[in-house]
Amino acid sequence: MSSWVSSERVTIYDVAKAARVSTATASKALNDSGRMAQETRDRIKRVALELGFRPNSLARSLTRKRSFTVGLLTNDTYGRFTLPVMAGISEGLIDHGVSVFLCAVEDNSDLAKTHVEAMLDKQVDGIIATGKRIDKPLPVDLSGLPVPVVYALTAGPSDGVTLLPDDRQGAAEAVRHLIAQGRRRIAHITGPSDFKVVHERALACAEMLSAATRAKDMGTLFGSWSERWSHQAIETLWSASEKPDGIFCGNDQIARGVVDALRERGVSVPRDVSIVGFDNWEIVAKETRPPLTTVDMNLKELGRQAGLALVRLVNGEAVEKGVWKLPCSLIVRSS
């Protein structure tokens, strides 16, 4: 059947010719519109499948009044969190024929407004807003837009759809693992106290240790997201008479600094002290010696779910409003 078709992209005209129908009839059959016998519609679709026909995106947008593109807006210009989220979004949308384009806004409200206007000019089907903090929104108001918006790893409105990692669950997994390793004196070294995730993780840590009958809470030390802070925290902990044998760290950078600080003191990890980090930032976690046991926020899956939620909104389907908490995973390595 396809011997007459060239090696170039198969068009709707090729499908119509092979099925011996008009171009208009072929288009209606493939878009499930118009009136025709079901047998005819099925035959045209079968011919299109055999020819390897892929609808032209512009033609589809004209027929369905969609552009099959979504905008991703972020202030995470470093890409530490946005890149895995975007990978998940793209993975979730590829089967729907939807493309994603990224706009980085830093914390510049004028730049953010310009990008949003550009997205609307391009007639995107929807927008996904993402960032680097769950307690701060992007520097632009996305309410009242003519397209649906989904929020991922950033603060969203109460009547919006917001996807976040379950930080408390992840932190509880980390502390539970330390206790399971036989650790009885557990400290928590974490980041700045004005971050919501810091309080979420610290609260979960304290609750787990309070409920544990065989473990003691050695306290929480708040500082910065840095290895320098790790050395200061270890100096504080090791100046006390009773020292921890397990440390849960607020992120992997802190955890790597803790491992280095302990090595300098002749303390072996994990023989003397077990360490668990948070984020599973592989360039840090895998290269630390020993490689870090850490909590993965599953950002790729979070992005995939955000993309699928947006597709449902674009299609006019009901989507539950509010905050969706997605589970974290403990990645066990050698620390």
Side-chain angles (χ1 to χ4, degrees), residues 149-185:
V149 179
V150 169
Y151 301 83
L153 208 67
T154 191
S158 58
D159 60 347
V161 177
T162 304
L163 288 81
L164 303 175
D166 192 337
D167 285 282
R168 284 201 191 188
Q169 172 263 331
E173 293 282 345
V175 177
R176 187 178 294 114
H177 178 73
L178 287 171
I179 295 172
Q181 297 302 303
R183 301 307 170 174
R184 298 294 175 257
R185 302 179 306 280

Side-chain angles (χ1 to χ4, degrees), residues 2-267:
S2 60
S3 60
W4 59 272
V5 179
S6 73
S7 60
E8 297 178 357
R9 183 186 179 99
V10 178
T11 68
I12 188 71
Y13 305 102
D14 299 326
V15 175
K17 183 175 180 180
R20 297 186 177 87
V21 296
S22 69
T23 303
T25 299
S27 178
K28 290 175 182 177
L30 296 176
N31 286 295
D32 290 315
S33 60
R35 289 186 177 184
M36 68 184 68
Q38 188 60 44
E39 179 182 346
T40 302
R41 192 183 301 276
D42 292 342
R43 179 171 59 84
I44 293 169
K45 288 184 176 181
R46 186 172 64 251
V47 168
L49 183 63
E50 291 172 352
L51 292 178
F53 172 74
R54 292 175 58 201
N56 177 272
S57 60
L58 178 59
R60 285 190 304 181
S61 66
L62 291 173
T63 302
R64 303 184 186 180
K65 296 182 180 177
R66 287 183 54 185
S67 67
F68 288 85
T69 60
V70 300
L72 179 60
L73 202 65
T74 181
N75 65 349
D76 175 26
T77 51
Y78 186 68
R80 163 69 188 89
F81 303 108
T82 294
L83 291 179
V85 170
M86 184 175 182
I89 293 169
S90 298
E91 184 179 281
L93 296 183
I94 191 168
D95 289 339
H96 297 271
V98 177
S99 299
V100 183
F101 68 91
L102 171 67
C103 291
V105 303
E106 299 179 348
D107 288 312
N108 186 322
S109 60
D110 291 335
L111 181 60
K113 290 175 184 176
T114 298
H115 279 312
V116 170
E117 290 170 0
M119 288 178 178
L120 297 178
D121 286 344
K122 291 179 181 294
Q123 297 183 315
V124 294
D125 294 326
I127 293 174
I128 297 176
T130 186
K132 53 191 177 183
R133 289 185 63 165
I134 68 168
D135 50 1
K136 285 193 174 182
L138 296 187
V140 62
D141 184 5
L142 299 176
S143 62
L145 295 183
V147 297
V149 179
V150 169
Y151 301 83
L153 208 67
T154 191
S158 58
D159 60 347
V161 177
T162 304
L163 288 81
L164 303 175
D166 192 337
D167 285 282
R168 284 201 191 188
Q169 172 263 331
E173 293 282 345
V175 177
R176 187 178 294 114
H177 178 73
L178 287 171
I179 295 172
Q181 297 302 303
R183 301 307 170 174
R184 298 294 175 257
R185 302 179 306 280
I186 298 173
H188 181 38
I189 303 175
T190 189
S193 59
D194 62 338
F195 276 64
K196 184 177 180 180
V197 294
V198 167
H199 284 283
E200 292 282 297
R201 296 168 192 174
L203 181 60
C205 178
E207 288 175 345
M208 284 293 296
L209 292 173
S210 175
T213 57
R214 296 176 298 166
K216 179 179 179 180
D217 188 347
M218 299 292 288
T220 296
L221 285 76
F222 298 96
S224 62
W225 300 118
S226 70
E227 294 180 43
R228 176 179 295 180
W229 157 238
S230 306
H231 287 257
Q232 296 172 5
I234 290 299
E235 183 175 352
T236 297
L237 289 172
W238 256 252
S239 65
S241 57
E242 189 175 32
K243 301 168 178 59
D245 60 2
I247 301 176
F248 168 43
C249 300
N251 78 349
D252 290 340
Q253 281 178 282
I254 291 174
R256 181 166 68 178
V258 164
V259 171
D260 289 343
L262 291 175
R263 182 184 299 113
E264 291 172 3
R265 292 173 177 271
V267 179

